């Protein structure tokens, strides 16, 4: 199974956040699971990091390196992904989340998220 993790789920995995359920951990850690993170997530982390918010201590370069070192595959943003974003219904205004939905659809990956707004989109999406 190929999993694309939403940005907050990536951060939860890296910080061993208790909001990750045992079932979600099992799915992520399964030997047959191929894990992916989107360049859009690194972009989102970069923007939030640049705001210097006290509640957001994540350095995008460290996050990216940790993901790569832990066997995650980086998914670039393509023109096909960008075009698919335009076909999505206007359920969610967040451009990063819309890109993740598009990428999951185009690439045939299951998107794991905790965002209830995202689960209204068509395609392979699982709210955890």
């Amino acid at each position: 199974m190929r999993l694309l993790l939403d940005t907050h789920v990536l951060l939860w995995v890296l910080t061993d956040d208790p909001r990750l359920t045992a079932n979600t951990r099992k799915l992520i850690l399964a030997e047959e699971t191929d894990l992916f993170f989107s360049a859009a997530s690194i972009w989102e982390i970069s923007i939030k990091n640049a705001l210097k918010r006290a509640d957001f201590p994540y350095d995008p370069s460290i996050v990216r390196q940790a993901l790569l070192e832990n066997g995650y595959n980086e998914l670039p943003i393509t023109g096909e992904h960008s075009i698919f974003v335009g076909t999505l219904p206007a359920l969610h205004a967040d451009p990063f989340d819309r890109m993740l939905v598009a990428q999951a659809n185009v690439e045939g990956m299951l998107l794991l998220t905790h965002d209830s707004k995202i689960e209204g989109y068509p395609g392979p999406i699982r709210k955890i």
Side-chain angles (χ1 to χ4, degrees), residues 64-94:
R64 180 178 179 270
Q65 189 62 39
L67 291 168
L68 292 171
E69 287 175 359
N70 282 285
Y72 284 70
N73 300 288
E74 187 169 17
L75 181 62
I77 297 170
T78 68
E80 188 177 4
H81 299 149
S82 300
I83 291 166
F84 197 92
V85 167
T87 70
L88 294 172
L91 302 177
H92 200 342
D94 187 313

